[in-house]
Amino acid sequence: MTLLGNFKRWYRRAGELGAEYYNAPYRSAIARARRDEDDLFMLMVFSETMGIPNPASWYTLELQPLLMERFHDWHQRMGMPHSPLDNFRCC
């Protein structure tokens, strides 16, 4: 290991620890914001199937199979006890 390699590794580790230190008080707020963004993204992807016009449905249709695993958790978090889709029952 060269001196430059050791310095790069130490610098990367110091950056990770610094980010961890500064993000720790805001971890729950960051997680909540991320979940809100994910929920909005799920709404955009499944909006056309729920009757909401979506101008980007051609592109989001390809994402539906990838997000089906998280669909059940999403619709329950949105306050829908059963699947809002007529032809898809996940519960």
Side-chain angles (χ1 to χ4, degrees):
M1 219 11 97
T2 63
L3 183 61
L4 183 60
N6 285 339
F7 180 72
K8 285 181 179 178
R9 189 174 53 209
W10 177 85
Y11 186 74
R12 188 178 318 121
R13 181 69 181 145
E16 291 171 359
L17 290 175
E20 184 74 24
Y21 175 76
Y22 286 110
N23 289 341
Y26 308 106
R27 191 170 292 143
S28 63
I30 292 170
R32 190 175 328 115
R34 182 182 176 120
R35 190 178 56 231
D36 289 346
E37 287 180 4
D38 288 346
D39 289 344
L40 180 63
F41 184 71
M42 290 285 284
L43 178 64
M44 286 198 59
V45 169
F46 289 100
S47 65
E48 193 71 32
T49 57
M50 291 189 285
I52 302 170
N54 182 4
S57 64
W58 176 258
Y59 302 105
T60 59
L61 186 63
E62 295 177 359
L63 299 173
Q64 285 184 1
L66 301 174
L67 298 175
M68 287 308 269
E69 294 178 7
R70 297 178 1 202
F71 183 75
H72 178 72
D73 294 333
W74 174 75
H75 78 73
Q76 286 191 332
R77 196 170 45 247
M78 293 293 109
M80 296 177 263
H82 300 290
S83 173
L85 305 178
D86 292 335
N87 52 3
F88 177 72
R89 300 283 177 213
C90 66
C91 309

